[in-house]
Amino acid sequence: MVVYENRIRVAVADDDVLFREGMSSLLTRSGFEVVGQAGDAAEILPLVREHRPDLVVLDIRMPPTHTNEGLDAARVIREEFPDMGILLLSAHIEVEEAMELLATGHRVGYLLKSRVTGVSDFMETLEHIALGGSIVDPSLVRELIRAHRKDDPLELLTTREQEVLALMAEGRSNAGIASKLWITEGTVEKHVHSILSRMRIPGTEDDHRRVLAVLAFLESR
């Protein structure tokens, strides 16, 4: 098991007390600092505001209705603390509801509980998110992309468009992509529009279309 030198501060929210206590124990033994636990979404928000952790681990379905309370709390956390890491855990594939959060592209993750099979890998995932990365469970990616396409749309992209898409997957803005590729922001916008069109991404909100394109790219790697 890897023990990290820099103690990452984590808050855990899950209504299953055994799961919550077990995760907190694993985190502590792996070198993380657990600043608090919550059994529902109402408890996690004041805890986060008080302790300002580096990362919040949230179950999507929590009391009282066991629908999207955890996701709703995650949206509030991202709005109030844009640089705080958030990992969503779920026993169900429901990534469509999390697309807005995933579209932010940094310090965010979404995993199925049943797919967490290795402690070391899970701890490395938490560190990756806390340090600025993003993680989406491959099974969630496949489910989402399968709902929106039948063929591989990446084959339709030019080399430059693939470069732009790769930078989108890193969470870069249009301005950041322009700087990296030494092109104008207007040119980037044209490439993005072409990417979404060639990949036949449905005409929903722009952020949702971008994350669909990025997820398709990640699946192909």
Side-chain angles (χ1 to χ4, degrees):
M1 181 181 298
V2 178
V3 176
Y4 302 111
E5 296 180 2
N6 298 321
R7 289 173 64 82
I8 295 172
R9 303 171 69 250
V10 185
V12 179
D14 196 295
D15 63 303
D16 185 330
V17 64
L18 293 179
F19 183 88
R20 188 173 70 240
E21 290 287 351
M23 176 177 292
S24 297
S25 178
L26 286 173
L27 287 167
T28 300
R29 294 204 307 270
S30 298
F32 293 81
E33 179 184 352
V34 179
V35 300
Q37 301 180 31
D40 59 42
E43 292 179 1
I44 192 62
L45 292 175
L47 190 156
V48 166
R49 290 165 180 150
E50 178 181 357
H51 294 284
R52 308 290 180 92
D54 303 304
L55 175 68
V56 184
V57 180
L58 290 149
D59 186 6
I60 286 183
R61 297 187 177 187
M62 288 194 287
T65 68
H66 292 278
T67 53
N68 290 328
E69 283 86 353
L71 180 57
D72 292 340
R75 292 189 181 110
V76 174
I77 292 169
R78 178 47 52 97
E79 182 177 348
E80 294 187 13
F81 307 102
D83 293 324
M84 188 175 292
I86 298 172
L87 173 61
L88 297 170
L89 294 175
S90 179
H92 311 277
I93 295 178
E94 45 197 345
V95 71
E96 288 278 5
E97 288 78 6
M99 283 179 60
E100 179 182 351
L101 185 65
L102 295 174
T104 60
H106 73 290
R107 289 188 170 89
V108 64
Y110 191 147
L111 296 178
L112 288 176
K113 289 183 177 180
S114 61
R115 300 270 297 187
V116 180
T117 57
V119 173
S120 295
D121 288 344
F122 182 64
M123 297 304 153
E124 290 176 4
T125 293
L126 295 182
E127 184 187 40
H128 178 72
I129 294 171
L131 297 180
S134 59
I135 295 288
V136 180
D137 191 294
S139 62
L140 296 167
V141 173
R142 287 193 294 271
E143 182 69 20
L144 183 59
I145 300 305
R146 186 161 47 241
H148 291 278
R149 67 172 174 89
K150 294 181 180 179
D151 304 317
D152 183 5
L154 299 186
E155 297 179 354
L156 304 175
L157 302 184
T158 67
T159 300
R160 175 62 87 184
E161 288 167 352
Q162 291 182 22
E163 291 174 345
V164 170
L165 181 55
L167 293 172
M168 286 168 59
E170 295 178 6
R172 294 178 185 266
S173 65
N174 286 356
I177 295 171
S179 176
K180 182 72 174 180
L181 297 180
W182 294 89
I183 56 180
T184 67
E185 191 169 348
T187 300
V188 173
E189 291 176 358
K190 292 179 181 178
H191 283 312
V192 171
H193 179 77
S194 178
I195 289 168
L196 299 178
S197 176
R198 289 177 187 271
M199 294 178 70
R200 300 187 294 278
I201 302 296
T204 56
E205 295 182 19
D206 286 344
D207 281 348
H208 290 188
R209 299 183 77 200
R210 286 178 74 106
V211 78
L212 278 171
V214 166
L215 289 173
F217 170 78
L218 293 175
E219 185 192 31
S220 71
R221 299 181 68 179

